[in-house]
Amino acid sequence: MRVSDLTDLLRERGMRVTSQRLLIERALRDHGGHLSAEQVHELVEPSLPGVTQQTVYSTLALLTELGVARRVAAPGASARFETRIDDHHHMVCQRCGAIEDLDARVPVGRAMGAARDAGFIPDSASVTVLGLCAACAAS
């Protein structure tokens, strides 16, 4: 996403265009994703002295709500975020916590249907494969 696209999207929704919002989205996009809010904070703090962790959390939540970023459903204490918003899955290393995209066609329609049948209103579904990344498996 270009800065002008995010600027237009914010203005269309009647929201302020701030340097914090633009820089946080750019840091997430430029890094490639799978970042915790703490990692995003570390990336933007040199350019935004005094930016608070709460501002980063709030901005990541806003970017997710706008459909510019998404929260990665992965185990662990910290939520992870990415700017890749197309349907895809993830591999999570249980030793080092690394998260990698998994580009595999896995139909999740049956899971969504079963959730609906149980009275749940699903937004999306994805597959998370747990195990060891190549680096941890080699050591």
Side-chain angles (χ1 to χ4, degrees):
M1 165 172 270
R2 296 184 329 234
V3 171
S4 60
D5 294 338
L6 179 56
T7 299
D8 291 344
L9 183 59
L10 289 166
R11 286 187 178 140
E12 286 170 11
R13 306 255 176 132
M15 299 176 172
R16 293 181 335 147
V17 176
T18 65
S19 58
Q20 290 94 339
R21 289 174 175 171
L22 298 176
L23 286 171
I24 288 168
E25 187 276 335
R26 186 176 74 202
L28 187 61
R29 179 177 24 89
D30 289 351
H31 184 275
H34 308 129
L35 294 175
S36 67
E38 293 82 7
Q39 291 169 314
V40 173
H41 183 263
E42 289 174 16
L43 289 172
V44 300
E45 206 278 329
S47 300
L48 296 169
V51 67
T52 66
Q53 190 69 51
Q54 184 57 48
T55 297
V56 173
Y57 278 113
S58 299
T59 302
L60 290 170
L62 173 63
L63 294 173
T64 301
E65 180 183 318
L66 292 173
V68 175
R70 81 179 204 178
R71 185 179 176 146
V72 177
S78 294
R80 301 289 185 96
F81 297 87
E82 65 182 343
T83 55
R84 182 176 173 188
I85 56 172
D86 65 306
D87 287 334
H88 65 283
H89 309 289
H90 294 96
M91 300 174 287
V92 179
C93 181
Q94 292 177 298
R95 184 175 296 158
C96 71
I99 300 174
E100 296 180 39
D101 290 339
L102 174 62
D103 292 310
R105 291 186 174 257
V106 178
V108 294
R110 289 181 66 190
M112 298 279 282
R116 279 194 275 300
D117 291 346
F120 190 77
I121 302 172
D123 284 330
S124 65
S126 65
V127 173
T128 301
V129 178
L130 303 174
L132 295 179
C133 67
C136 288
S139 62

